[in-house]
Amino acid sequence: MSSELEKLLDFSQPLDVPLLDQVVSAMYSSQDEAQRKQINAFMTAFQEHPQAWTRVDTILEQTSGDLSKFFALATLEHCVKYRWKVLPADQREAIKSYIVSVIVRYSSDEVTLLRTKMQLSKLNLILVQILKQEWPHNWKDFIPQIVESGKTNETLCGNNMQILRLLSEEVFEFSLKQLTSKKIETLKESLTQEFQLIYQFCEFVMQNAKNVITLQTTLQCFLRFLFWVPLYYAFETPLIDMLLHKFFPQPQFRCDSLQCLTEVAAIDPKSVDAKYHPKVQKMYADFITNLSSIVQPNAIKQYHEEGDQGEEFVQRLTLFLSTILKTHLPILETQELAWYLIQGLQYLVHISEVEDDEIFKICTEYWNFLADDLYHKEVQMQRPMPTLMLTQSNPLQQSPRLQTYSPILAQVRRLLIERMPKPEEVLVVEDENGEVVKEHLKDVEVVALHKTVRETLVYLTHLDHQKTEEVMIEKLGLQVHPTPGGPGWSRQGLSTLCWAIGSISGAMREDDEKRFLVHVIKDLLGLCEITRGKDNKAVIASNIMYVVGQYPRFLRAHWKFLKTVVNKLFEFMHETHPGVQDMACETFLKICQRCKIQFVKHQPQEQAPFIDQLLLGSQTVADIASTIKDLEAHQKNMFYEAVGYIVASETTPEKRDSIISELFKIPNSSWNEIIASAMQDPNLLQNQDTMRNIAKILQINVRVATSLGQPYILQLASIYERMLQVYKMYSEAISAAVAANPLSAKTSGVRLMRAVKRETLRLIETTVEKSEEMHRIVEHFVPPLVEYVLSDYQSNHPDTRDPEVLSLFAAIIHKAGDMITDQVPRVLGAVFECTLAMITTNMEDFPEHRINFFNLLKEINHSCFRAFFLIPGEVFKVLIDSIVWAIKHRERNIADTGLTILLEMLRNLDGLQDVANQFYLQFLLSLTHDIFTVLTDKEHEPGFKLQCAILQHLVSRVEGGIPNQPLFNPTEHPTISTNPQFMRHKMLSMLQEGFSDRMTQNQLQEFVTSLFDPSKGDVLAFQTVVRDFLVQIKEYNCDQWTESSLSLQLEAQQKEQERKQTELARMQAVPGLMPVMQREEVDMS
């Protein structure tokens, strides 16, 4: 076949179209992988040939195969996208004329259009690619031409609309990915100036066209224009009237017209002049009138069930109503529009009942907006809201505005309670088969929806807590005492109600909340006693645990209730139904986090504090051993962590230390027994059950260290030395086993020994992270760690080195800072070279070591920068090489860490003149080359922001006179006298070498000059310069740069930070809005 392919690549001979058909067809039908690779290479070579575009007309005219036609059009597109600017002007004109003529021919009649629809779509896209480069400067009359030709023929008109729509999308929606900022501005300005012609064309079609497809295309086209057109065209033309009265009543145009109306409704009210308010009001009133003649509110659910068309209409209707009632609510709240306003909301209420998750999500977001708006303007503004709502006050007289919405809010309140999504804390669920099971995966969308509904119910409770309470008590009554013949108890009904009850925690005044919650818990506990069936009891238990876990304020204020609840949780810990024990432990953990102080106080009428009773047992509280006897290992860990929070709240050090000793009585007894037996017979440690037990003991220690914090160091000191000896012994045993047989690394024995080692390292790391006395850690705990762990790491077989060693020392350096600087060279000496040898062999092996290694370097750089000057120069050179290697890594987190290390290192050098001079003399040129390498590599696009920051830093330091010695040899560069001049020269040479086939000398010179331009010193301005350069080099080679949304990531991190701060302030301002586990604790006792 190679000779046939060579024949097709011979552009001096006429093209053999039948042969091309065979080759292209074989590409998609051949089972021979080698043949397909050969054909693929041919197709690439054909498309990249400078004369390939000259074959397109021949192929399109002579072939009958669709595959060959697509190949021809792909070839033409490749030429237009990546070679357009290097084509002579006459060839560009020839291509333009040819494409226009083919488009006109294909779209002049309906039969041809249907037959060539796919090819026509591709030709339209190619034409728009040409327009992006030729219009307006080389094709000034394009818009008049396309408008006039569209008026001659309805089919042609429809396709012309498609072209205008594509052009609008490319300029206003996708341009940031593909065009320079200057080109984008030019295109936007040109399209806006020409829009009057386009609008007149659209209006002409809407008024005169008869073809349904043409009218639908025109509406879809105008929808894209509505994103950016001047307001005049929305409000001072017949557009809205045509959409409302001509198209909306007709089923075939209803959804398209609704989308257009939604875009008009979405126009920012700040940009809408007051003179247009009557237009918006009339649009809304007319819409509700027309909608009422199509479907009544109470028939929406039935309309939605009438097939795809009904579903699409209801979804579009939801978007329109929620948009206009959110964006323009203030101007719709007039006496004249009162009926229309309530009618629109009534539609939304009935739409909210539709069984469609996406529609329900849109509706709940609107109800959230409305409830939020009413709360802040009608409730919060009327009275100062105290931080602690302790006393009952008479409800304020509702404002007229709130009275207007009350009937709607009553329906919304009931609806949201009935459809409350499941919170993520609930683990016991009913599956699609009606089986009660433990949930293993969180549904992210359900969690997000729960958050929205929860916040909305909090606002609705503030607006009228009595009505919220009435609905919940009424529904609870139907569950606990079902009426004969009425809706009885159901698992789903009870669960949904309890999720709603838990969601309004903190939204009532404290005494109202107490009365409400006592009623709820008593009913639920009573229901649990009388209900039969394990599944049913499990669901009720799950709901009790969820509700009590949501009301820590109440539990803190009512000790007897808190004790009853905890004892009930201890009961549930013996219940073996899937999920119940997990949830009992998690709820106990949550309560201990929020109510910990209550458990160490000596409460009235109690013989001792609860923690003492728990440790030793009493008549009313079971001891730890009997409480946890039925729990699995991970549940015991959770239990111990919960008790750790209680112990941490004990303020008397002697008492706390005594409690810690008592708390660890069971695990320490097991530990001491194992160690004592091992001293008699060391082989006992090789027993796999022993390994498992040691791992479990260490896991308990890790969890308690997490919750107890600094005081845990007392327990660690008691087991530290023996623990490290066990670590070393297991390490030696692993190394010996792997040395004898590399496959033994996969055996269960070696895996268990490694698990013990991991838990040991994790325990020490957790203690370090929680420590408030790092001098004690550095003085007493680090030396044996270096002796046992570092030397062991260095001597181990690569397959048995634990990546946790690296993360442990990163944590120590992060916490200890400069006090451990003198020991950093020893740490690097032990881990640097051996780890680097492991991770640089390829980009895949040892991923955890790779991440932890660079995190360690990052911490040294951040906390002990001085340590880098204590290592030999040749080691520092290797260290810089390793950072560069990280920067070039394909995995994003590795590359980002490398970029972060380098940027911080450069900033750390700013205050060290002599060191900075030496550093820049040695590394400036190579680092500049490396940064340009990743900047222009499509695989490293996510690091764009950091890459720009490093490049900008390097440029600014050179401009600022660093280094103060020449970077160049004056005899080799006699025309250059300064380092900035040399850097410009070096950058230009570097870029010419890589991109001379894609950019001219002047373009590259302009880019380099812009990098050194003081006016581009601003971060965003500098990034724009670099981004425009990347767009330009992409035009000539599709493989060099991906079509990425670079501009969208420039401010992403800053916006996310601002969003989080705004969200926090919003939640703090409304009682009950902050999730329970994020609220500040206030101890009222």
Side-chain angles (χ1 to χ4, degrees):
M1 176 167 265
S2 57
S3 59
E4 296 167 335
L5 297 180
E6 287 174 12
K7 179 182 176 185
L8 291 172
L9 287 172
D10 184 356
F11 283 80
S12 62
Q13 301 296 321
L15 180 66
D16 187 340
V17 176
L19 176 59
L20 180 68
D21 287 343
Q22 292 174 24
V23 170
V24 174
S25 177
M27 176 65 190
Y28 299 98
S29 61
S30 174
Q31 301 298 314
D32 186 339
E33 188 64 29
Q35 186 184 51
R36 289 176 63 188
K37 282 185 179 179
Q38 190 180 17
I39 297 173
N40 186 57
F42 151 74
M43 293 171 84
T44 304
F46 186 93
Q47 287 186 339
E48 291 179 353
H49 194 283
Q51 297 299 312
W53 67 273
T54 61
R55 303 289 205 188
V56 171
D57 58 339
T58 305
I59 300 171
L60 290 179
E61 298 303 323
Q62 295 183 21
T63 186
S64 56
D66 286 340
L67 291 175
S68 294
K69 288 179 181 176
F70 277 115
F71 174 63
L73 292 173
T75 301
L76 186 57
E77 184 180 38
H78 185 277
C79 172
V80 169
K81 267 187 166 184
Y82 307 118
R83 295 196 55 80
W84 187 258
K85 290 183 180 177
V86 298
L87 293 175
D90 59 330
Q91 291 184 7
R92 293 202 298 266
E93 283 301 317
I95 293 173
K96 276 163 52 179
S97 300
Y98 175 72
I99 290 173
V100 170
S101 66
V102 176
I103 287 174
V104 170
R105 179 153 44 94
Y106 283 1
S107 59
S108 291
D109 65 88
E110 201 162 336
V111 175
T112 309
L113 185 141
L114 289 172
R115 181 170 50 81
T116 61
K117 189 174 181 181
M118 301 300 286
Q119 293 99 297
L120 184 59
S121 297
K122 191 72 172 175
L123 283 163
N124 289 342
L125 287 169
I126 296 170
L127 180 61
V128 170
Q129 291 295 337
I130 292 175
L131 287 169
K132 282 160 58 179
Q133 305 190 64
E134 293 287 292
W135 180 73
H137 52 285
N138 290 336
W139 200 347
K140 291 185 174 61
D141 56 352
F142 167 72
I143 297 294
Q145 282 179 358
I146 199 168
V147 166
E148 287 307 312
S149 66
K151 292 178 181 179
T152 61
N153 178 315
E154 277 204 30
T155 317
L156 181 61
C157 167
N159 190 64
N160 286 4
M161 283 292 177
Q162 289 280 22
I163 294 169
L164 289 171
R165 179 178 67 82
L166 289 170
L167 180 61
S168 173
E169 288 174 348
E170 287 289 332
V171 173
F172 284 92
E173 296 173 54
F174 308 142
S175 55
L176 287 172
K177 303 174 186 177
Q178 303 167 3
L179 301 171
T180 63
S181 48
K182 188 175 179 181
K183 181 67 175 174
I184 292 169
E185 287 174 19
T186 304
L187 287 173
K188 285 183 177 179
E189 189 179 326
S190 302
L191 202 49
T192 306
Q193 288 173 354
E194 300 267 23
F195 188 72
Q196 186 172 359
L197 266 179
I198 297 172
Y199 173 77
Q200 289 169 354
F201 178 40
C202 291
E203 187 180 299
F204 171 81
V205 176
M206 288 183 195
Q207 290 175 341
N208 299 291
K210 305 294 183 214
N211 186 294
V212 171
I213 294 175
T214 300
L215 285 168
Q216 287 174 336
T217 305
T218 304
L219 288 170
Q220 291 160 9
C221 175
F222 209 86
L223 174 65
R224 312 319 297 176
F225 298 151
L226 284 168
F227 287 127
W228 55 268
V229 295
L231 292 182
Y232 166 85
Y233 292 103
F235 295 115
E236 295 192 19
T237 63
L239 173 66
I240 292 175
D241 282 343
M242 278 194 291
L243 291 171
L244 276 174
H245 302 299
K246 178 175 180 178
F247 295 110
F248 180 63
Q250 299 184 58
Q252 64 267 43
F253 305 121
R254 192 167 289 154
C255 289
D256 289 327
S257 58
L258 251 181
Q259 280 187 282
C260 291
L261 288 168
T262 303
E263 284 308 318
V264 174
I267 294 172
D268 186 352
K270 293 175 186 173
S271 64
V272 178
D273 194 287
K275 68 181 180 181
Y276 293 136
H277 288 178
K279 295 268 188 184
V280 176
Q281 292 167 331
K282 183 176 185 303
M283 176 178 76
Y284 177 71
D286 287 354
F287 177 83
I288 295 296
T289 303
N290 288 353
L291 179 61
S292 299
S293 65
I294 295 169
V295 59
Q296 287 296 310
N298 57 8
I300 280 287
K301 199 169 181 180
Q302 182 182 347
Y303 197 97
H304 177 266
E305 292 167 356
E306 290 178 358
D308 293 345
Q309 195 171 355
E311 285 183 22
E312 186 184 1
F313 169 70
V314 173
Q315 191 168 47
R316 302 288 179 212
L317 176 61
T318 311
L319 285 167
F320 172 76
L321 288 173
S322 60
T323 300
I324 195 166
L325 290 172
K326 185 184 291 186
T327 310
H328 300 289
L329 186 63
I331 64 172
L332 298 179
E333 291 180 323
T334 65
Q335 198 167 350
E336 297 78 16
L337 291 174
W339 181 85
Y340 298 99
L341 177 62
I342 297 302
Q343 187 74 350
L345 290 169
Q346 196 64 58
Y347 274 104
L348 269 182
V349 169
H350 285 285
I351 290 170
S352 301
E353 296 172 350
V354 168
E355 294 294 330
D356 183 302
D357 292 342
E358 193 58 37
I359 288 174
F360 183 62
K361 179 172 175 285
I362 297 166
C363 290
T364 53
E365 285 170 356
Y366 178 74
W367 300 129
N368 183 269
F369 156 79
L370 181 62
D372 180 331
D373 187 67
L374 289 170
Y375 169 78
H376 284 99
K377 292 178 181 174
E378 306 304 319
V379 175
Q380 198 177 49
M381 298 299 288
Q382 289 187 33
R383 62 158 186 253
M385 183 66 69
T387 306
L388 295 171
M389 301 183 292
L390 300 176
T391 59
Q392 183 171 8
S393 64
N394 294 324
L396 292 173
Q397 183 65 36
Q398 284 192 337
S399 67
R401 182 173 181 238
L402 202 49
Q403 289 176 8
T404 301
Y405 287 107
S406 279
I408 292 293
L409 296 180
Q411 296 177 67
V412 173
R413 189 179 283 112
R414 185 172 289 273
L415 181 105
L416 294 183
I417 290 170
E418 289 172 355
R419 295 196 64 178
M420 185 75 195
K422 186 183 76 65
E424 61 181 322
E425 298 95 326
V426 175
L427 302 176
V428 180
V429 295
E430 190 172 359
D431 66 14
E432 62 273 13
N433 301 318
E435 299 282 332
V436 175
V437 296
K438 176 184 173 182
E439 182 183 57
H440 294 285
L441 293 174
K442 303 287 183 191
D443 187 326
V444 179
E445 290 186 8
V446 172
V447 170
L449 186 59
H450 172 81
K451 178 178 181 290
T452 306
V453 178
R454 185 187 75 80
E455 290 180 6
T456 309
L457 277 177
V458 167
Y459 287 129
L460 291 172
T461 304
H462 279 297
L463 293 175
D464 193 333
H465 77 86
Q466 288 178 339
K467 285 188 178 165
T468 303
E469 185 181 339
E470 284 169 10
V471 174
M472 290 180 172
I473 294 297
E474 173 203 327
K475 288 187 168 297
L476 184 60
L478 291 174
Q479 292 291 326
V480 179
H481 310 292
T483 54
W489 180 81
S490 75
R491 295 195 291 235
Q492 186 58 39
L494 180 70
S495 297
T496 306
L497 175 59
C498 289
W499 301 338
I501 290 170
S503 73
I504 60 168
S505 161
M508 295 183 184
R509 296 186 178 278
E510 193 159 353
D511 42 4
D512 291 331
E513 185 176 273
K514 173 187 173 182
R515 177 176 41 77
F516 170 65
L517 196 59
V518 167
H519 186 131
V520 169
I521 298 297
K522 281 185 176 177
D523 275 4
L524 288 174
L525 289 172
L527 185 62
C528 192
E529 292 300 321
I530 63 172
T531 303
R532 297 290 171 263
K534 276 206 161 193
D535 281 0
N536 295 336
K537 280 184 174 291
V539 169
I540 298 170
S542 165
N543 286 315
I544 291 172
M545 290 186 283
Y546 173 67
V547 171
V548 297
Q550 291 300 107
Y551 286 87
R553 179 178 68 173
F554 169 79
L555 296 175
R556 283 197 296 269
H558 301 88
W559 166 249
K560 285 190 175 178
F561 214 92
L562 173 58
K563 184 179 178 183
T564 303
V565 163
V566 171
N567 279 331
K568 196 69 181 173
L569 291 176
F570 288 176
E571 246 183 72
F572 291 148
M573 287 180 193
H574 300 291
E575 172 57 63
T576 55
H577 195 288
V580 173
Q581 289 173 308
D582 277 320
M583 199 163 173
C585 292
E586 287 191 9
T587 306
F588 180 56
L589 174 58
K590 186 192 294 187
I591 288 174
C592 288
Q593 288 171 324
R594 311 306 294 173
C595 308
K596 50 184 176 278
I597 296 173
Q598 314 307 316
F599 294 112
V600 295
K601 282 183 178 175
H602 195 147
Q603 302 287 352
Q605 300 176 359
E606 292 287 346
Q607 63 188 41
F610 181 87
I611 184 65
D612 292 350
Q613 297 182 56
L614 178 63
L615 294 172
L616 302 172
S618 72
Q619 292 181 336
T620 56
V621 180
D623 65 9
I624 287 183
S626 57
T627 302
I628 65 175
K629 67 179 182 182
D630 293 327
L631 297 179
E632 294 178 12
H634 73 281
Q635 294 160 346
K636 289 178 181 176
N637 295 343
M638 217 183 304
F639 185 92
Y640 270 97
E641 181 183 351
V643 179
Y645 283 108
I646 298 175
V647 180
S649 64
E650 175 57 64
T651 54
T652 308
E654 296 80 11
K655 171 75 170 167
R656 187 182 60 221
D657 291 349
S658 170
I659 295 173
I660 292 170
S661 298
E662 196 63 40
L663 173 62
F664 277 101
K665 197 170 183 180
I666 298 172
N668 280 355
S669 173
S670 299
W671 171 260
N672 291 332
E673 188 180 324
I674 290 170
I675 295 301
S677 300
M679 291 178 73
Q680 299 294 324
D681 179 10
N683 291 327
L684 182 72
L685 289 176
Q686 299 300 323
N687 182 291
Q688 293 196 8
D689 287 337
T690 303
M691 297 175 195
R692 289 190 186 92
N693 289 333
I694 292 175
K696 288 175 183 176
I697 293 167
L698 293 176
Q699 284 167 0
I700 289 173
N701 277 267
V702 171
R703 296 298 283 268
V704 177
T706 302
S707 57
L708 184 54
Q710 167 64 29
Y712 172 78
I713 202 166
L714 174 74
Q715 161 66 10
L716 181 65
S718 70
I719 64 171
Y720 192 63
E721 187 176 353
R722 296 294 187 196
M723 182 176 72
L724 288 182
Q725 288 171 355
V726 171
Y727 178 96
K728 187 170 180 62
M729 201 198 96
Y730 277 156
S731 190
E732 289 170 352
I734 293 168
S735 292
V738 173
N741 179 9
L743 294 178
S744 63
K746 306 295 183 186
T747 61
S748 58
V750 170
R751 285 207 303 268
L752 283 169
M753 287 189 281
R754 293 197 69 178
V756 171
K757 289 179 67 182
R758 276 196 302 274
E759 294 302 334
T760 302
L761 296 168
R762 192 173 290 131
L763 175 57
I764 302 170
E765 185 174 338
T766 304
T767 308
V768 167
E769 287 170 349
K770 298 289 181 178
S771 175
E772 296 164 12
E773 299 177 0
M774 279 308 295
H775 63 279
R776 184 178 172 186
I777 296 281
V778 171
E779 187 176 343
H780 298 291
F781 289 84
V782 170
L785 200 62
V786 170
E787 180 187 345
Y788 282 104
V789 175
L790 276 187
S791 58
D792 170 75
Y793 181 91
Q794 191 172 15
S795 61
N796 272 166
H797 188 281
D799 288 337
T800 63
R801 288 188 185 125
D802 296 302
E804 290 81 7
V805 172
L806 302 172
S807 63
L808 168 58
F809 278 93
I812 292 172
I813 289 165
H814 173 76
K815 287 284 288 190
D818 197 52
M819 72 174 78
I820 201 171
T821 296
D822 293 339
Q823 295 195 49
V824 169
R826 188 172 175 188
V827 174
L828 281 176
V831 305
F832 185 73
E833 289 188 14
C834 62
T835 308
L836 204 58
M838 290 164 59
I839 65 176
T840 53
T841 306
N842 56 52
M843 298 253 180
E844 289 80 32
D845 293 344
F846 306 107
E848 288 183 76
H849 292 79
R850 187 175 291 112
I851 292 168
N852 292 351
F853 174 76
F854 288 109
N855 281 335
L856 174 62
L857 293 187
K858 183 179 174 183
E859 290 302 338
I860 296 171
N861 190 41
H862 179 75
S863 306
C864 306
F865 185 65
R866 187 168 58 85
F868 286 143
F869 312 138
L870 304 178
I871 60 177
E874 62 273 14
V875 176
F876 185 73
K877 168 74 169 63
V878 175
L879 187 142
I880 296 297
D881 289 343
S882 70
I883 294 171
V884 170
W885 184 87
I887 288 169
K888 294 179 179 179
H889 201 280
R890 289 195 299 269
E891 199 170 317
R892 180 176 176 178
N893 57 350
I894 302 292
D896 281 356
T897 303
L899 291 165
T900 304
I901 294 171
L902 180 57
L903 182 59
E904 188 169 359
M905 182 179 284
L906 295 175
R907 289 171 176 167
N908 287 340
L909 287 167
D910 283 350
L912 307 166
Q913 182 75 28
D914 293 341
V915 178
N917 280 321
Q918 290 300 315
F919 179 88
Y920 282 102
L921 274 173
Q922 187 174 0
F923 299 110
L924 175 63
L925 296 180
S926 62
L927 287 177
T928 304
H929 183 276
D930 293 326
I931 290 301
F932 269 116
T933 300
V934 291
L935 256 175
T936 54
D937 182 347
K938 63 182 180 180
E939 288 191 359
H940 289 87
E941 170 207 334
F944 176 76
K945 193 173 180 180
L946 284 167
Q947 294 157 6
C948 283
I950 292 169
L951 183 61
Q952 188 172 18
H953 195 97
L954 295 175
V955 167
S956 66
R957 293 308 170 268
V958 172
E959 283 286 277
I962 300 175
N964 56 13
Q965 300 171 45
L967 288 162
F968 56 96
N969 185 339
T971 57
E972 293 179 10
H973 303 279
T975 59
I976 294 174
S977 57
T978 65
N979 280 338
Q981 282 181 332
F982 177 72
M983 277 301 291
R984 286 184 175 88
H985 168 76
K986 195 70 181 172
M987 280 187 182
L988 186 59
S989 302
M990 193 188 307
L991 295 171
Q992 281 176 327
E993 185 179 332
F995 309 110
S996 58
D997 61 328
R998 278 157 265 176
M999 295 180 71
T1000 64
Q1001 170 86 5
N1002 288 339
Q1003 286 176 313
L1004 292 172
Q1005 182 73 59
E1006 184 182 337
F1007 168 59
V1008 172
T1009 303
S1010 297
L1011 292 179
F1012 286 83
D1013 184 349
S1015 67
K1016 309 298 183 189
D1018 171 68
V1019 172
L1020 290 178
F1022 189 87
Q1023 289 171 346
T1024 302
V1025 168
V1026 178
R1027 178 196 158 275
D1028 285 351
F1029 164 70
L1030 296 175
V1031 169
Q1032 286 176 302
I1033 62 171
K1034 187 200 71 176
E1035 283 183 351
Y1036 297 86
N1037 186 333
C1038 61
D1039 290 331
Q1040 186 62 30
W1041 186 254
T1042 182
E1043 293 184 0
S1044 59
S1045 51
L1046 286 176
S1047 55
L1048 299 180
Q1049 64 190 58
L1050 299 185
E1051 299 178 32
Q1053 292 176 355
Q1054 184 180 345
K1055 285 184 178 178
E1056 178 63 15
Q1057 189 67 24
E1058 289 172 1
R1059 186 195 67 75
K1060 285 180 180 176
Q1061 290 172 354
T1062 305
E1063 178 81 349
L1064 181 63
R1066 181 180 72 84
M1067 288 187 163
Q1068 288 172 335
V1070 182
L1073 207 59
M1074 181 74 73
V1076 170
M1077 297 308 293
Q1078 296 173 30
R1079 295 177 195 167
E1080 290 184 17
E1081 293 181 60
V1082 181
D1083 183 26
M1084 298 305 302
S1085 51

